[in-house]
Amino acid sequence: MIPQNLLRNPLALTTQKCTLGCPILDRCLSGGVPCNSVTELVAESASGKTQLCLQLLLSAQLPASLGGLAASSLYIHSEFPFPSRRLHQLSQSFRSSYSHVLDSAYNPLDFVFVQGVQSADELFDVLLKTDSILLRPRTQLPVRLIVIDSIAALFRGEFENTPLDLKRRSSLFFKISGKLKSLAERFGLAVVVTNQVVDVMEQTEGLNVLRIGNLGSLYSSGRRVCAALGLAWANCVNSRLFLSRNEEIPAEVTGDSVGRLTRQRRLHVVFAPHLPESSCEFVISREGVFGIER
């Protein structure tokens, strides 16, 4: 890497960003998900990372004046089945919310391309073929958002904890992330990758749970967790966001009353070259994912 590249900030204020579909969430991220880089969403199951990704697929289609990319999206999934029913539900809400800018015959699902993969090698092969899709758009909206949901599912069961497998795994990390960054910079893409978490046990504390970013520790559902795939993968992404989930009993429940658990979800900035430490509470409804101001 030459000195000029070290001094260049790839996420300067002029970098275009893709709205998350909610002004409160966008404010937390200084405008949304940045182009020309790889953003990672880390969370345990049922925290909302796939929901947020599906909403992004739709938000990307909005014109730049509304925070979108005026673009189609490529959604690569490794966890089956693909949540087509939920995407359809969100698309109906999307059309209703933006009926003033969308044609009555407009179908948001026409601008979402879906590809399933079952191994890390297959993912890399798909990425190698992505150039042709980007160079020759299939619709009037070019692809400018790539979502991979999730990266962890492709690696956690495929490799043994042996020196040879760990070396091969690290090599694939850098090949995949290198290709994603190359595509992002060449075509001005926003790239989002989801990752899972693992529990942190006292006896396993070490390199994989070193403090990475703004937060000393990550907690979800009352457990201390860390991002899957370790330190090697953490070096492969430009920004990391963490979605936490916790259940609480409302304070007003007393006596023999049976309290209903309330689920609190929160978006945290773990590290990003263009963002300070920040967080935002959010909820998931039938209409989508929305931030809450308190």
Side-chain angles (χ1 to χ4, degrees):
M1 180 175 287
I2 60 177
Q4 292 93 317
N5 287 340
L6 290 172
L7 295 173
R8 179 173 61 90
N9 181 3
L11 296 176
L13 294 176
T14 54
T15 298
Q16 187 176 8
K17 298 181 177 70
C18 180
T19 175
L20 291 171
C22 168
I24 297 175
L25 294 176
D26 285 344
R27 232 176 3 254
C28 184
L29 301 184
S30 294
V33 176
C35 296
N36 307 322
S37 72
V38 179
T39 301
E40 180 191 42
L41 281 178
V42 175
E44 67 172 316
S45 177
S47 294
K49 55 185 184 294
T50 295
Q51 303 269 353
L52 203 53
C53 287
L54 295 178
Q55 186 160 295
L56 263 174
L57 300 179
L58 303 171
S59 299
Q61 299 174 32
L62 293 172
S65 60
L66 293 177
L69 303 176
S72 298
S73 305
L74 173 61
Y75 184 91
I76 303 173
H77 66 101
S78 61
E79 299 185 357
F80 296 82
F82 170 71
S84 56
R85 180 179 297 181
R86 178 57 172 158
L87 179 59
H88 179 72
Q89 187 180 62
L90 289 174
S91 73
Q92 292 178 318
S93 175
F94 177 76
R95 288 183 61 183
S96 175
S97 298
Y98 295 99
S99 58
H100 59 291
V101 294
L102 300 177
D103 186 87
S104 59
Y106 185 87
N107 184 0
L109 301 183
D110 290 340
F111 302 96
V112 177
F113 303 105
V114 179
Q115 174 69 55
V117 295
Q118 297 186 346
S119 71
D121 289 308
E122 186 180 359
L123 170 61
F124 186 63
D125 289 340
V126 168
L127 294 178
L128 290 177
K129 299 172 184 175
T130 302
D131 294 74
S132 60
I133 298 175
L134 299 174
L135 288 169
R136 294 185 292 276
R138 301 177 186 177
T139 67
Q140 67 266 36
L141 299 183
V143 172
R144 291 198 58 206
L145 170 67
I146 294 179
V147 175
I148 300 176
D149 184 19
S150 76
I151 192 70
L154 298 174
F155 284 96
R156 293 179 70 179
E158 187 176 341
F159 297 90
E160 299 292 334
N161 194 27
T162 64
L164 184 62
D165 263 18
L166 291 176
K167 181 179 179 181
R168 178 170 166 259
R169 188 179 81 155
S170 294
S171 175
L172 267 174
F173 281 172
F174 295 120
K175 284 170 62 177
I176 289 171
S177 64
K179 183 60 178 176
L180 287 172
K181 289 177 180 178
S182 172
L183 290 171
E185 292 179 4
R186 181 182 177 190
F187 296 99
L189 308 180
V191 177
V192 176
V193 179
T194 70
N195 192 2
Q196 300 166 359
V197 299
V198 294
D199 289 341
V200 175
M201 305 296 181
E202 292 295 328
Q203 63 269 28
T204 62
E205 292 193 15
L207 286 177
N208 283 345
V209 290
L210 283 175
R211 174 170 177 163
I212 301 174
N214 299 319
L215 305 180
S217 300
L218 307 181
Y219 290 91
S220 188
S221 297
R223 308 180 338 262
R224 186 183 176 195
V225 299
C226 67
L229 306 182
L231 194 58
W233 175 254
N235 289 315
C236 292
V237 298
N238 300 106
S239 306
R240 170 173 286 175
L241 308 177
F242 173 59
L243 307 183
S244 64
R245 183 189 70 174
N246 291 289
E247 292 182 333
E248 299 177 344
I249 299 177
E252 62 270 15
V253 176
T254 58
D256 296 328
S257 314
V258 178
R260 184 177 181 182
L261 289 176
T262 61
R263 182 166 292 171
Q264 183 188 63
R265 293 181 170 91
R266 200 164 191 88
L267 167 68
H268 308 262
V269 176
V270 180
F271 64 78
H274 62 300
L275 294 174
E277 178 180 357
S278 60
S279 68
C280 175
E281 187 176 348
F282 68 94
V283 295
I284 300 173
S285 67
R286 178 183 177 87
E287 291 74 27
V289 182
F290 303 101
I292 300 176
E293 287 184 317
R294 294 192 184 277

